[in-house]
Amino acid sequence: QVRLVESGGGLVQPGGSLRLSCAASESLFGINIIGWYRQTPGNQRELVASHPRYGSRIYADSVKGRFIVSRDNAENTVVLQMNSLQPEDTAVYYCYAVQRDNEYWGQGTQVTVSS
């Protein structure tokens, strides 16, 4: 089973930046897709950014141009760099991974954007 551990969440003012990290227990070369979702109370969990082993990275329209997802294969880590944060970005952010036909989720990390 793939274990995913997020870190880097916190409180930031509008216009600020945060860097989220997701450490995977498996080599990223064995993971087909890894990325990030987010969820607010009462809403569906939505895709933020996805980084497949091969192919192009995918971003939600709401974060394009502001967020960047990247892989550090040597550290088995995926990073979500979040810039120009706005209050509507406030959510619990979850790392996810797909290995073969299985999906795995991290425990989530809270991001709060407020003045």
Side-chain angles (χ1 to χ4, degrees):
Q1 180 172 265
V2 177
R3 296 183 298 278
L4 304 169
V5 180
E6 303 101 329
S7 62
L11 175 65
V12 65
Q13 293 186 341
S17 298
L18 282 175
R19 181 181 182 271
L20 304 183
S21 295
C22 173
S25 63
E26 303 282 341
S27 169
L28 298 188
F29 292 109
I31 297 176
N32 299 100
I33 302 171
I34 193 163
W36 296 88
Y37 279 69
R38 67 186 182 187
Q39 187 172 28
T40 56
N43 295 310
Q44 296 279 349
R45 191 171 297 184
E46 66 173 349
L47 176 69
V48 176
S50 178
H51 199 322
R53 176 66 179 86
Y54 301 101
S56 300
R57 289 168 286 184
I58 298 172
Y59 297 94
D61 288 342
S62 60
V63 307
K64 285 181 179 177
R66 299 189 297 121
F67 292 9
I68 300 172
V69 63
S70 59
R71 291 185 176 210
D72 186 338
N73 293 326
E75 298 293 332
N76 294 344
T77 299
V78 170
V79 169
L80 183 68
Q81 178 65 46
M82 305 186 294
N83 301 315
S84 301
L85 285 162
Q86 299 301 130
E88 52 265 34
D89 296 314
T90 295
V92 177
Y93 285 70
Y94 296 89
C95 184
Y96 86 101
V98 179
Q99 184 186 61
R100 298 187 179 182
D101 294 328
N102 299 313
E103 296 183 348
Y104 302 93
W105 295 92
Q107 81 285 355
T109 185
Q110 176 71 47
V111 172
T112 302
V113 185
S114 177
S115 60

